[in-house]
PDB file of all heavy atoms in Angstrom:
ATOM      1  N   ARG A1317       2.027   2.450  -3.398  1.00 41.00           N
ATOM      2  CA  ARG A1317       1.046   3.247  -4.084  1.00 41.00           C
ATOM      3  C   ARG A1317       0.958   4.592  -3.726  1.00 41.00           C
ATOM      4  O   ARG A1317       0.757   5.529  -4.469  1.00 41.00           O
ATOM      5  CB  ARG A1317      -0.219   2.462  -4.045  1.00 41.00           C
ATOM      6  CG  ARG A1317      -0.407   1.204  -4.849  1.00 41.00           C
ATOM      7  CD  ARG A1317      -1.829   0.952  -5.222  1.00 41.00           C
ATOM      8  NE  ARG A1317      -2.857   1.289  -4.354  1.00 41.00           N
ATOM      9  CZ  ARG A1317      -3.142   0.613  -3.249  1.00 41.00           C
ATOM     10  NH1 ARG A1317      -2.491  -0.557  -3.005  1.00 41.00           N
ATOM     11  NH2 ARG A1317      -4.100   0.911  -2.383  1.00 41.00           N
ATOM     12  N   ALA A1321       1.445   7.853  -5.835  1.00 35.00           N
ATOM     13  CA  ALA A1321       0.475   8.917  -5.985  1.00 35.00           C
ATOM     14  C   ALA A1321       0.793  10.192  -5.589  1.00 35.00           C
ATOM     15  O   ALA A1321       0.491  11.271  -6.237  1.00 35.00           O
ATOM     16  CB  ALA A1321      -0.777   8.306  -5.047  1.00 35.00           C
ATOM     17  N   GLY A1324       4.776  10.391  -7.936  1.00 32.00           N
ATOM     18  CA  GLY A1324       4.902   9.942  -9.322  1.00 32.00           C
ATOM     19  C   GLY A1324       6.315   9.815  -9.778  1.00 32.00           C
ATOM     20  O   GLY A1324       6.528   9.904 -10.919  1.00 32.00           O
ATOM     21  N   ILE A1326       8.168   7.321 -10.633  1.00 31.00           N
ATOM     22  CA  ILE A1326       8.558   6.362 -11.662  1.00 31.00           C
ATOM     23  C   ILE A1326       8.347   6.822 -13.058  1.00 31.00           C
ATOM     24  O   ILE A1326       8.916   6.246 -14.049  1.00 31.00           O
ATOM     25  CB  ILE A1326       7.901   4.888 -11.466  1.00 31.00           C
ATOM     26  CG1 ILE A1326       6.460   5.108 -11.762  1.00 31.00           C
ATOM     27  CG2 ILE A1326       8.020   4.351 -10.091  1.00 31.00           C
ATOM     28  CD1 ILE A1326       5.658   3.742 -11.839  1.00 31.00           C
ATOM     29  N   VAL A1327       7.750   7.940 -13.175  1.00 31.00           N
ATOM     30  CA  VAL A1327       7.638   8.501 -14.440  1.00 31.00           C
ATOM     31  C   VAL A1327       8.848   9.061 -15.078  1.00 31.00           C
ATOM     32  O   VAL A1327       9.054   8.986 -16.210  1.00 31.00           O
ATOM     33  CB  VAL A1327       6.600   9.747 -14.357  1.00 31.00           C
ATOM     34  CG1 VAL A1327       6.517  10.432 -15.678  1.00 31.00           C
ATOM     35  CG2 VAL A1327       5.248   9.115 -13.929  1.00 31.00           C
ATOM     36  N   GLY A1331      10.213   7.266 -20.325  1.00 38.00           N
ATOM     37  CA  GLY A1331      10.514   7.386 -21.835  1.00 38.00           C
ATOM     38  C   GLY A1331      11.744   6.703 -22.177  1.00 38.00           C
ATOM     39  O   GLY A1331      11.866   5.990 -23.209  1.00 38.00           O
ATOM     40  N   GLN A1335      10.847   0.314 -22.715  1.00 54.00           N
ATOM     41  CA  GLN A1335      10.988  -0.795 -23.535  1.00 54.00           C
ATOM     42  C   GLN A1335      11.859  -1.981 -22.922  1.00 54.00           C
ATOM     43  O   GLN A1335      11.967  -2.981 -23.438  1.00 54.00           O
ATOM     44  CB  GLN A1335      11.517  -0.365 -24.919  1.00 54.00           C
ATOM     45  CG  GLN A1335      13.042  -0.391 -25.070  1.00 54.00           C
ATOM     46  CD  GLN A1335      13.498   0.104 -26.466  1.00 54.00           C
ATOM     47  OE1 GLN A1335      13.320   1.253 -26.761  1.00 54.00           O
ATOM     48  NE2 GLN A1335      14.130  -0.877 -27.084  1.00 54.00           N
ATOM     49  N   LYS A1506      -6.823 -10.864 -36.635  1.00 98.00           N
ATOM     50  CA  LYS A1506      -6.025  -9.966 -37.510  1.00 98.00           C
ATOM     51  C   LYS A1506      -5.133 -10.837 -38.359  1.00 98.00           C
ATOM     52  O   LYS A1506      -4.429 -10.412 -39.346  1.00 98.00           O
ATOM     53  CB  LYS A1506      -5.210  -8.887 -36.748  1.00 98.00           C
ATOM     54  CG  LYS A1506      -6.027  -7.733 -36.390  1.00 98.00           C
ATOM     55  CD  LYS A1506      -5.089  -6.641 -35.769  1.00 98.00           C
ATOM     56  CE  LYS A1506      -5.827  -5.413 -35.663  1.00 98.00           C
ATOM     57  NZ  LYS A1506      -5.031  -4.430 -34.745  1.00 98.00           N
ATOM     58  N   PRO A1508      -4.594 -13.779 -41.162  1.00 98.00           N
ATOM     59  CA  PRO A1508      -3.200 -13.857 -41.654  1.00 98.00           C
ATOM     60  C   PRO A1508      -2.670 -12.540 -42.072  1.00 98.00           C
ATOM     61  O   PRO A1508      -1.495 -12.422 -42.240  1.00 98.00           O
ATOM     62  CB  PRO A1508      -3.139 -14.813 -42.711  1.00 98.00           C
ATOM     63  CG  PRO A1508      -4.498 -14.529 -43.447  1.00 98.00           C
ATOM     64  CD  PRO A1508      -5.511 -14.317 -42.354  1.00 98.00           C
ATOM     65  N   ILE A1511       0.980  -9.240 -39.389  1.00 97.00           N
ATOM     66  CA  ILE A1511       2.045  -9.891 -38.563  1.00 97.00           C
ATOM     67  C   ILE A1511       2.494  -8.831 -37.612  1.00 97.00           C
ATOM     68  O   ILE A1511       3.304  -7.881 -37.975  1.00 97.00           O
ATOM     69  CB  ILE A1511       3.128 -10.402 -39.541  1.00 97.00           C
ATOM     70  CG1 ILE A1511       2.663 -11.482 -40.473  1.00 97.00           C
ATOM     71  CG2 ILE A1511       4.379 -10.888 -38.787  1.00 97.00           C
ATOM     72  CD1 ILE A1511       2.062 -12.652 -39.851  1.00 97.00           C
ATOM     73  N   GLN A1513       4.642  -7.126 -34.860  1.00 95.00           N
ATOM     74  CA  GLN A1513       6.066  -7.025 -34.558  1.00 95.00           C
ATOM     75  C   GLN A1513       6.366  -8.045 -33.367  1.00 95.00           C
ATOM     76  O   GLN A1513       7.409  -8.716 -33.221  1.00 95.00           O
ATOM     77  CB  GLN A1513       6.504  -5.685 -34.223  1.00 95.00           C
ATOM     78  CG  GLN A1513       7.984  -5.584 -33.849  1.00 95.00           C
ATOM     79  CD  GLN A1513       9.001  -5.916 -34.917  1.00 95.00           C
ATOM     80  OE1 GLN A1513       8.706  -5.716 -36.021  1.00 95.00           O
ATOM     81  NE2 GLN A1513      10.113  -6.423 -34.540  1.00 95.00           N
ATOM     82  N   ILE A1516       7.552 -11.405 -34.378  1.00 97.00           N
ATOM     83  CA  ILE A1516       8.997 -11.427 -34.715  1.00 97.00           C
ATOM     84  C   ILE A1516       9.878 -11.465 -33.569  1.00 97.00           C
ATOM     85  O   ILE A1516      10.789 -12.213 -33.388  1.00 97.00           O
ATOM     86  CB  ILE A1516       9.286 -10.283 -35.635  1.00 97.00           C
ATOM     87  CG1 ILE A1516       8.354 -10.182 -36.805  1.00 97.00           C
ATOM     88  CG2 ILE A1516      10.761 -10.324 -36.140  1.00 97.00           C
ATOM     89  CD1 ILE A1516       8.329 -11.102 -37.887  1.00 97.00           C
ATOM     90  N   TYR A1546      -7.984 -21.201 -40.404  1.00 98.00           N
ATOM     91  CA  TYR A1546      -7.165 -21.148 -39.326  1.00 98.00           C
ATOM     92  C   TYR A1546      -5.839 -21.781 -39.801  1.00 98.00           C
ATOM     93  O   TYR A1546      -4.818 -21.452 -39.222  1.00 98.00           O
ATOM     94  CB  TYR A1546      -7.704 -21.823 -38.082  1.00 98.00           C
ATOM     95  CG  TYR A1546      -8.503 -20.735 -37.306  1.00 98.00           C
ATOM     96  CD1 TYR A1546      -9.681 -20.353 -37.669  1.00 98.00           C
ATOM     97  CD2 TYR A1546      -8.037 -20.084 -36.150  1.00 98.00           C
ATOM     98  CE1 TYR A1546     -10.498 -19.371 -36.994  1.00 98.00           C
ATOM     99  CE2 TYR A1546      -8.730 -19.121 -35.517  1.00 98.00           C
ATOM    100  CZ  TYR A1546      -9.929 -18.828 -35.978  1.00 98.00           C
ATOM    101  OH  TYR A1546     -10.648 -17.777 -35.267  1.00 98.00           O
ATOM    102  N   ALA A1552       0.591 -18.181 -41.683  1.00 98.00           N
ATOM    103  CA  ALA A1552       1.170 -16.834 -41.664  1.00 98.00           C
ATOM    104  C   ALA A1552       2.186 -16.736 -40.474  1.00 98.00           C
ATOM    105  O   ALA A1552       3.327 -16.187 -40.638  1.00 98.00           O
ATOM    106  CB  ALA A1552       0.087 -15.759 -41.451  1.00 98.00           C
ATOM    107  N   ASP A1555       5.311 -18.764 -41.496  1.00 98.00           N
ATOM    108  CA  ASP A1555       6.141 -17.807 -42.394  1.00 98.00           C
ATOM    109  C   ASP A1555       7.002 -16.853 -41.622  1.00 98.00           C
ATOM    110  O   ASP A1555       8.224 -16.568 -41.959  1.00 98.00           O
ATOM    111  CB  ASP A1555       5.319 -17.189 -43.447  1.00 98.00           C
ATOM    112  CG  ASP A1555       4.821 -18.103 -44.461  1.00 98.00           C
ATOM    113  OD1 ASP A1555       5.100 -19.239 -44.585  1.00 98.00           O
ATOM    114  OD2 ASP A1555       3.773 -17.716 -45.275  1.00 98.00           O
ATOM    115  N   PRO A1559      12.425 -17.762 -40.497  1.00 98.00           N
ATOM    116  CA  PRO A1559      13.696 -17.259 -40.457  1.00 98.00           C
ATOM    117  C   PRO A1559      14.439 -17.491 -39.056  1.00 98.00           C
ATOM    118  O   PRO A1559      15.746 -17.302 -38.944  1.00 98.00           O
ATOM    119  CB  PRO A1559      13.723 -15.815 -40.799  1.00 98.00           C
ATOM    120  CG  PRO A1559      12.237 -15.630 -41.417  1.00 98.00           C
ATOM    121  CD  PRO A1559      11.387 -16.640 -40.769  1.00 98.00           C
ATOM    122  N   TYR A1560      13.705 -17.782 -38.058  1.00 98.00           N
ATOM    123  CA  TYR A1560      14.303 -18.026 -36.723  1.00 98.00           C
ATOM    124  C   TYR A1560      14.232 -19.542 -36.476  1.00 98.00           C
ATOM    125  O   TYR A1560      14.591 -19.849 -35.168  1.00 98.00           O
ATOM    126  CB  TYR A1560      13.551 -17.162 -35.655  1.00 98.00           C
ATOM    127  CG  TYR A1560      13.771 -15.659 -36.043  1.00 98.00           C
ATOM    128  CD1 TYR A1560      12.834 -14.974 -36.776  1.00 98.00           C
ATOM    129  CD2 TYR A1560      15.022 -15.117 -35.664  1.00 98.00           C
ATOM    130  CE1 TYR A1560      13.060 -13.650 -37.144  1.00 98.00           C
ATOM    131  CE2 TYR A1560      15.190 -13.820 -35.887  1.00 98.00           C
ATOM    132  CZ  TYR A1560      14.276 -13.051 -36.756  1.00 98.00           C
ATOM    133  OH  TYR A1560      14.479 -11.806 -37.106  1.00 98.00           O
ATOM    134  N   SER A1724       1.615 -14.668 -11.663  1.00 98.00           N
ATOM    135  CA  SER A1724       2.891 -13.847 -12.062  1.00 98.00           C
ATOM    136  C   SER A1724       3.063 -12.744 -11.032  1.00 98.00           C
ATOM    137  O   SER A1724       3.653 -11.737 -11.318  1.00 98.00           O
ATOM    138  CB  SER A1724       2.458 -13.192 -13.236  1.00 98.00           C
ATOM    139  OG  SER A1724       1.332 -12.297 -13.352  1.00 98.00           O
ATOM    140  N   GLY A1781       4.417 -11.045 -17.358  1.00 97.00           N
ATOM    141  CA  GLY A1781       3.626 -10.490 -16.161  1.00 97.00           C
ATOM    142  C   GLY A1781       4.492 -10.071 -15.023  1.00 97.00           C
ATOM    143  O   GLY A1781       4.286  -9.194 -14.186  1.00 97.00           O
ATOM    144  N   GLN A1973       6.780  -3.721  -6.005  1.00 98.00           N
ATOM    145  CA  GLN A1973       5.345  -3.920  -5.833  1.00 98.00           C
ATOM    146  C   GLN A1973       4.988  -5.269  -5.858  1.00 98.00           C
ATOM    147  O   GLN A1973       4.123  -5.831  -4.956  1.00 98.00           O
ATOM    148  CB  GLN A1973       4.487  -3.196  -6.883  1.00 98.00           C
ATOM    149  CG  GLN A1973       4.656  -1.730  -6.831  1.00 98.00           C
ATOM    150  CD  GLN A1973       3.769  -1.158  -8.075  1.00 98.00           C
ATOM    151  OE1 GLN A1973       2.588  -0.815  -7.825  1.00 98.00           O
ATOM    152  NE2 GLN A1973       4.382  -0.897  -9.195  1.00 98.00           N
ATOM    153  N   ASN A2022     -12.960 -13.344 -10.619  1.00 91.00           N
ATOM    154  CA  ASN A2022     -12.209 -13.010 -11.750  1.00 91.00           C
ATOM    155  C   ASN A2022     -10.699 -13.380 -11.621  1.00 91.00           C
ATOM    156  O   ASN A2022      -9.942 -12.592 -12.010  1.00 91.00           O
ATOM    157  CB  ASN A2022     -12.272 -11.414 -12.038  1.00 91.00           C
ATOM    158  CG  ASN A2022     -13.725 -11.148 -12.354  1.00 91.00           C
ATOM    159  OD1 ASN A2022     -14.219 -11.703 -13.247  1.00 91.00           O
ATOM    160  ND2 ASN A2022     -14.258 -10.121 -11.690  1.00 91.00           N
TER     161      ASN A2022
ATOM    162  N   ARG B 868       3.687 -10.451 -46.256  1.00 40.00           N
ATOM    163  CA  ARG B 868       3.938 -11.502 -45.297  1.00 40.00           C
ATOM    164  C   ARG B 868       5.210 -12.361 -45.882  1.00 40.00           C
ATOM    165  O   ARG B 868       6.187 -12.805 -45.221  1.00 40.00           O
ATOM    166  CB  ARG B 868       2.775 -12.490 -45.073  1.00 40.00           C
ATOM    167  CG  ARG B 868       1.871 -11.964 -44.093  1.00 40.00           C
ATOM    168  CD  ARG B 868       1.211 -12.974 -43.129  1.00 40.00           C
ATOM    169  NE  ARG B 868       0.860 -14.189 -43.944  1.00 40.00           N
ATOM    170  CZ  ARG B 868      -0.117 -14.355 -44.779  1.00 40.00           C
ATOM    171  NH1 ARG B 868      -0.830 -13.309 -45.021  1.00 40.00           N
ATOM    172  NH2 ARG B 868      -0.367 -15.367 -45.379  1.00 40.00           N
ATOM    173  N   ALA B 872       8.772 -12.923 -44.191  1.00 35.00           N
ATOM    174  CA  ALA B 872       9.221 -14.305 -44.089  1.00 35.00           C
ATOM    175  C   ALA B 872      10.549 -14.550 -44.794  1.00 35.00           C
ATOM    176  O   ALA B 872      11.502 -15.216 -44.148  1.00 35.00           O
ATOM    177  CB  ALA B 872       8.320 -15.258 -44.572  1.00 35.00           C
ATOM    178  N   ILE B 877      11.962  -6.119 -41.042  1.00 31.00           N
ATOM    179  CA  ILE B 877      11.468  -5.254 -40.039  1.00 31.00           C
ATOM    180  C   ILE B 877      12.167  -5.391 -38.728  1.00 31.00           C
ATOM    181  O   ILE B 877      12.024  -4.697 -37.804  1.00 31.00           O
ATOM    182  CB  ILE B 877       9.959  -5.365 -39.856  1.00 31.00           C
ATOM    183  CG1 ILE B 877       9.492  -6.667 -39.230  1.00 31.00           C
ATOM    184  CG2 ILE B 877       9.215  -5.030 -41.155  1.00 31.00           C
ATOM    185  CD1 ILE B 877       8.029  -6.575 -38.994  1.00 31.00           C
ATOM    186  N   VAL B 878      12.953  -6.462 -38.628  1.00 31.00           N
ATOM    187  CA  VAL B 878      13.711  -6.829 -37.381  1.00 31.00           C
ATOM    188  C   VAL B 878      14.828  -5.762 -37.126  1.00 31.00           C
ATOM    189  O   VAL B 878      15.030  -5.361 -36.088  1.00 31.00           O
ATOM    190  CB  VAL B 878      14.302  -8.080 -37.348  1.00 31.00           C
ATOM    191  CG1 VAL B 878      15.274  -8.277 -36.336  1.00 31.00           C
ATOM    192  CG2 VAL B 878      13.199  -9.158 -37.448  1.00 31.00           C
ATOM    193  N   GLY B 882      14.887  -2.804 -32.077  1.00 38.00           N
ATOM    194  CA  GLY B 882      15.346  -2.512 -30.889  1.00 38.00           C
ATOM    195  C   GLY B 882      15.333  -1.119 -30.600  1.00 38.00           C
ATOM    196  O   GLY B 882      15.150  -0.555 -29.540  1.00 38.00           O
ATOM    197  N   GLN B 886       9.484   0.907 -28.986  1.00 54.00           N
ATOM    198  CA  GLN B 886       8.692   1.728 -28.081  1.00 54.00           C
ATOM    199  C   GLN B 886       7.967   2.883 -28.731  1.00 54.00           C
ATOM    200  O   GLN B 886       7.101   3.472 -28.056  1.00 54.00           O
ATOM    201  CB  GLN B 886       9.558   2.136 -26.884  1.00 54.00           C
ATOM    202  CG  GLN B 886      10.292   3.474 -27.090  1.00 54.00           C
ATOM    203  CD  GLN B 886      11.158   3.871 -25.885  1.00 54.00           C
ATOM    204  OE1 GLN B 886      12.109   3.350 -25.649  1.00 54.00           O
ATOM    205  NE2 GLN B 886      10.666   4.845 -25.156  1.00 54.00           N
ATOM    206  N   LYS B1057      -4.467  -8.094 -10.204  1.00 98.00           N
ATOM    207  CA  LYS B1057      -3.277  -7.479  -9.666  1.00 98.00           C
ATOM    208  C   LYS B1057      -3.492  -6.358  -8.921  1.00 98.00           C
ATOM    209  O   LYS B1057      -2.623  -5.870  -8.090  1.00 98.00           O
ATOM    210  CB  LYS B1057      -2.165  -7.391 -10.609  1.00 98.00           C
ATOM    211  CG  LYS B1057      -1.438  -8.718 -10.991  1.00 98.00           C
ATOM    212  CD  LYS B1057      -0.318  -8.396 -12.046  1.00 98.00           C
ATOM    213  CE  LYS B1057       0.570  -9.664 -12.175  1.00 98.00           C
ATOM    214  NZ  LYS B1057       1.512  -9.442 -13.332  1.00 98.00           N
ATOM    215  N   PRO B1059      -5.220  -4.202  -5.773  1.00 98.00           N
ATOM    216  CA  PRO B1059      -4.611  -2.802  -5.722  1.00 98.00           C
ATOM    217  C   PRO B1059      -3.151  -2.917  -5.575  1.00 98.00           C
ATOM    218  O   PRO B1059      -2.559  -1.850  -5.676  1.00 98.00           O
ATOM    219  CB  PRO B1059      -5.312  -2.256  -4.394  1.00 98.00           C
ATOM    220  CG  PRO B1059      -5.519  -3.426  -3.624  1.00 98.00           C
ATOM    221  CD  PRO B1059      -5.790  -4.555  -4.539  1.00 98.00           C
ATOM    222  N   ILE B1062       0.595  -1.463  -9.368  1.00 98.00           N
ATOM    223  CA  ILE B1062       0.351  -0.328 -10.349  1.00 98.00           C
ATOM    224  C   ILE B1062       1.219  -0.485 -11.540  1.00 98.00           C
ATOM    225  O   ILE B1062       2.448  -0.219 -11.481  1.00 98.00           O
ATOM    226  CB  ILE B1062       0.568   1.051  -9.574  1.00 98.00           C
ATOM    227  CG1 ILE B1062      -0.466   1.132  -8.420  1.00 98.00           C
ATOM    228  CG2 ILE B1062       0.351   2.227 -10.548  1.00 98.00           C
ATOM    229  CD1 ILE B1062      -1.895   1.153  -8.762  1.00 98.00           C
ATOM    230  N   GLN B1064       3.058   0.279 -14.829  1.00 95.00           N
ATOM    231  CA  GLN B1064       3.605   1.437 -15.502  1.00 95.00           C
ATOM    232  C   GLN B1064       2.532   1.919 -16.619  1.00 95.00           C
ATOM    233  O   GLN B1064       2.587   3.248 -16.835  1.00 95.00           O
ATOM    234  CB  GLN B1064       5.004   1.213 -16.097  1.00 95.00           C
ATOM    235  CG  GLN B1064       5.564   2.442 -16.852  1.00 95.00           C
ATOM    236  CD  GLN B1064       5.848   3.570 -15.993  1.00 95.00           C
ATOM    237  OE1 GLN B1064       6.163   3.530 -14.780  1.00 95.00           O
ATOM    238  NE2 GLN B1064       5.800   4.777 -16.461  1.00 95.00           N
ATOM    239  N   ILE B1067       0.298   4.623 -15.402  1.00 97.00           N
ATOM    240  CA  ILE B1067       0.939   5.983 -15.338  1.00 97.00           C
ATOM    241  C   ILE B1067       1.011   6.665 -16.729  1.00 97.00           C
ATOM    242  O   ILE B1067       0.630   7.845 -17.004  1.00 97.00           O
ATOM    243  CB  ILE B1067       2.289   5.881 -14.686  1.00 97.00           C
ATOM    244  CG1 ILE B1067       2.287   5.048 -13.449  1.00 97.00           C
ATOM    245  CG2 ILE B1067       2.877   7.318 -14.545  1.00 97.00           C
ATOM    246  CD1 ILE B1067       1.554   5.742 -12.179  1.00 97.00           C
ATOM    247  N   TYR B1097     -13.420  -4.172  -4.770  1.00 98.00           N
ATOM    248  CA  TYR B1097     -13.365  -3.498  -6.087  1.00 98.00           C
ATOM    249  C   TYR B1097     -13.103  -2.064  -5.854  1.00 98.00           C
ATOM    250  O   TYR B1097     -12.602  -1.286  -6.664  1.00 98.00           O
ATOM    251  CB  TYR B1097     -14.231  -3.908  -7.096  1.00 98.00           C
ATOM    252  CG  TYR B1097     -13.766  -5.194  -7.763  1.00 98.00           C
ATOM    253  CD1 TYR B1097     -13.811  -6.386  -7.206  1.00 98.00           C
ATOM    254  CD2 TYR B1097     -13.298  -5.231  -9.071  1.00 98.00           C
ATOM    255  CE1 TYR B1097     -13.510  -7.583  -7.790  1.00 98.00           C
ATOM    256  CE2 TYR B1097     -12.830  -6.344  -9.782  1.00 98.00           C
ATOM    257  CZ  TYR B1097     -12.953  -7.533  -9.067  1.00 98.00           C
ATOM    258  OH  TYR B1097     -12.427  -8.655  -9.641  1.00 98.00           O
ATOM    259  N   ALA B1103      -6.957   2.406  -5.796  1.00 98.00           N
ATOM    260  CA  ALA B1103      -5.566   2.385  -6.185  1.00 98.00           C
ATOM    261  C   ALA B1103      -5.241   2.999  -7.549  1.00 98.00           C
ATOM    262  O   ALA B1103      -4.224   3.804  -7.727  1.00 98.00           O
ATOM    263  CB  ALA B1103      -5.150   0.873  -6.340  1.00 98.00           C
ATOM    264  N   ASP B1106      -5.561   6.868  -7.015  1.00 98.00           N
ATOM    265  CA  ASP B1106      -4.340   7.316  -6.428  1.00 98.00           C
ATOM    266  C   ASP B1106      -3.220   7.634  -7.512  1.00 98.00           C
ATOM    267  O   ASP B1106      -2.472   8.490  -7.451  1.00 98.00           O
ATOM    268  CB  ASP B1106      -3.814   6.473  -5.325  1.00 98.00           C
ATOM    269  CG  ASP B1106      -4.639   6.371  -4.063  1.00 98.00           C
ATOM    270  OD1 ASP B1106      -5.513   7.509  -3.938  1.00 98.00           O
ATOM    271  OD2 ASP B1106      -4.565   5.543  -3.256  1.00 98.00           O
ATOM    272  N   PRO B1110      -2.170  12.599  -9.715  1.00 98.00           N
ATOM    273  CA  PRO B1110      -1.101  13.618 -10.122  1.00 98.00           C
ATOM    274  C   PRO B1110      -1.369  14.163 -11.522  1.00 98.00           C
ATOM    275  O   PRO B1110      -0.696  15.175 -11.880  1.00 98.00           O
ATOM    276  CB  PRO B1110       0.266  12.829 -10.007  1.00 98.00           C
ATOM    277  CG  PRO B1110       0.006  11.803  -9.008  1.00 98.00           C
ATOM    278  CD  PRO B1110      -1.470  11.301  -9.233  1.00 98.00           C
ATOM    279  N   TYR B1111      -2.060  13.432 -12.299  1.00 98.00           N
ATOM    280  CA  TYR B1111      -2.425  13.859 -13.592  1.00 98.00           C
ATOM    281  C   TYR B1111      -3.690  14.523 -13.759  1.00 98.00           C
ATOM    282  O   TYR B1111      -4.282  14.745 -14.936  1.00 98.00           O
ATOM    283  CB  TYR B1111      -2.203  12.625 -14.625  1.00 98.00           C
ATOM    284  CG  TYR B1111      -0.743  12.275 -14.483  1.00 98.00           C
ATOM    285  CD1 TYR B1111      -0.244  11.222 -13.725  1.00 98.00           C
ATOM    286  CD2 TYR B1111       0.268  13.005 -15.310  1.00 98.00           C
ATOM    287  CE1 TYR B1111       1.029  11.026 -13.535  1.00 98.00           C
ATOM    288  CE2 TYR B1111       1.669  12.693 -15.240  1.00 98.00           C
ATOM    289  CZ  TYR B1111       1.942  11.684 -14.222  1.00 98.00           C
ATOM    290  OH  TYR B1111       3.418  11.420 -14.258  1.00 98.00           O
ATOM    291  N   SER B1275      -9.932  -2.223 -35.622  1.00 98.00           N
ATOM    292  CA  SER B1275      -8.596  -1.559 -35.604  1.00 98.00           C
ATOM    293  C   SER B1275      -7.773  -1.869 -36.768  1.00 98.00           C
ATOM    294  O   SER B1275      -6.606  -1.836 -36.797  1.00 98.00           O
ATOM    295  CB  SER B1275      -7.821  -1.927 -34.368  1.00 98.00           C
ATOM    296  OG  SER B1275      -7.709  -3.342 -34.321  1.00 98.00           O
ATOM    297  N   GLY B1332      -4.298  -0.699 -31.176  1.00 97.00           N
ATOM    298  CA  GLY B1332      -4.413  -1.738 -32.416  1.00 97.00           C
ATOM    299  C   GLY B1332      -4.000  -1.305 -33.656  1.00 97.00           C
ATOM    300  O   GLY B1332      -3.503  -2.012 -34.498  1.00 97.00           O
ATOM    301  N   GLN B1524       0.639  -3.227 -43.557  1.00 98.00           N
ATOM    302  CA  GLN B1524      -0.197  -4.494 -43.557  1.00 98.00           C
ATOM    303  C   GLN B1524      -1.524  -4.171 -43.321  1.00 98.00           C
ATOM    304  O   GLN B1524      -2.566  -4.707 -43.768  1.00 98.00           O
ATOM    305  CB  GLN B1524       0.448  -5.252 -42.435  1.00 98.00           C
ATOM    306  CG  GLN B1524       1.781  -5.899 -42.644  1.00 98.00           C
ATOM    307  CD  GLN B1524       2.159  -6.764 -41.431  1.00 98.00           C
ATOM    308  OE1 GLN B1524       1.865  -7.971 -41.429  1.00 98.00           O
ATOM    309  NE2 GLN B1524       2.844  -6.210 -40.463  1.00 98.00           N
ATOM    310  N   ASN B1573     -14.755 -16.059 -33.652  1.00 91.00           N
ATOM    311  CA  ASN B1573     -13.916 -15.308 -32.799  1.00 91.00           C
ATOM    312  C   ASN B1573     -13.677 -13.797 -33.130  1.00 91.00           C
ATOM    313  O   ASN B1573     -12.697 -13.331 -33.036  1.00 91.00           O
ATOM    314  CB  ASN B1573     -12.562 -16.009 -32.718  1.00 91.00           C
ATOM    315  CG  ASN B1573     -12.791 -17.504 -32.052  1.00 91.00           C
ATOM    316  OD1 ASN B1573     -13.269 -17.643 -31.108  1.00 91.00           O
ATOM    317  ND2 ASN B1573     -12.148 -18.396 -32.747  1.00 91.00           N
TER     318      ASN B1573
END
Side-chain angles (χ1 to χ4, degrees):
Chain A
R1317 285 215 318 285
I1326 67 173
V1327 170
Q1335 85 181 72
K1506 278 186 172 168
I1511 297 298
Q1513 177 65 28
I1516 309 291
Y1546 275 73
D1555 290 345
Y1560 296 92
S1724 60
Q1973 293 181 88
N2022 297 309
Chain B
R868 284 215 319 287
I877 67 174
V878 170
Q886 85 180 72
K1057 279 187 173 167
I1062 298 298
Q1064 177 65 27
I1067 310 291
Y1097 276 72
D1106 289 345
Y1111 296 92
S1275 60
Q1524 291 181 89
N1573 298 309

